[in-house]
Amino acid sequence: MDAMDWALLRELQDDARLSYSELSRRVHLSPPAVAERVRRLEETGVITGYHAHVDLAKTGRAVVAIIRMSCYGPTCVLRDDKVPTWPEVLEISRVTGDTCCVLKVAAPSIDAFEEVIDRLGAHGTPSSTMVLSTPLTWQPITPIGS
């Protein structure tokens, strides 16, 4: 990746809805060159998608938690392809250490959160930590060392 790729990524991370025309104006490159570079960043997997940042509380999901799962073997949560489809599950990360994976979940209520914990119990031992606030919700990717 060169400096122009990083300039494009900076602009797209700030506003992924920019037209190629506006993007070309901001990075001082022709619209066809911008389109080609963005297409290449998508094809190589650098850009994996375009997403809207959503306020969970405003969508009715005020209960946010991190759940560490101790589960190994055939009942492991990572082997169940249904868990990623649960509407409360926002992220699943496989981790090292004494837990198998970490899930970020958002539920509309404590009762609904409790139901998620109960469902996860079939896969192993869940241990949860409630998120009180998130001072840093997202940060754009920049070149290492910049």
Side-chain angles (χ1 to χ4, degrees):
M1 289 187 39
D2 63 14
M4 183 56 64
D5 289 336
W6 282 108
L8 289 166
L9 285 177
R10 183 180 56 250
E11 294 296 335
L12 288 170
Q13 287 179 96
D14 187 47
D15 183 357
R17 296 175 61 174
L18 290 174
S19 67
Y20 287 145
S21 176
E22 177 61 20
L23 194 52
S24 71
R25 188 185 67 70
R26 291 184 184 195
V27 299
H28 310 292
L29 201 62
S30 71
V34 164
E36 176 59 27
R37 281 181 172 261
V38 170
R39 184 192 57 73
R40 186 173 40 81
L41 289 168
E42 292 169 345
E43 286 178 352
T44 59
V46 173
I47 295 176
T48 60
Y50 299 88
H51 312 277
H53 295 278
V54 177
D55 183 317
L56 293 170
K58 290 182 180 176
T59 63
R61 295 171 185 224
V63 178
V64 179
I66 305 299
I67 302 172
R68 293 169 308 285
M69 287 296 300
S70 294
C71 58
Y72 301 95
T75 62
C76 178
V77 71
L78 295 174
R79 296 177 190 261
D80 187 338
D81 58 354
K82 292 181 208 82
V83 174
T85 68
W86 297 356
E88 302 89 357
V89 176
L90 304 179
E91 295 176 20
I92 302 174
S93 299
R94 186 174 188 178
V95 298
T96 62
D98 59 351
T99 59
C100 170
C101 59
V102 176
L103 293 83
K104 180 179 179 181
V105 301
S109 67
I110 292 295
D111 289 340
F113 173 71
E114 208 172 345
E115 290 174 14
V116 172
I117 292 292
D118 290 344
R119 282 184 274 156
L120 287 171
H123 297 283
T125 305
S127 176
S128 63
T129 302
M130 302 304 276
V131 174
L132 299 176
S133 66
T134 307
L136 178 63
T137 60
W138 177 83
Q139 180 164 270
I141 301 300
T142 59
I144 296 173
S146 65

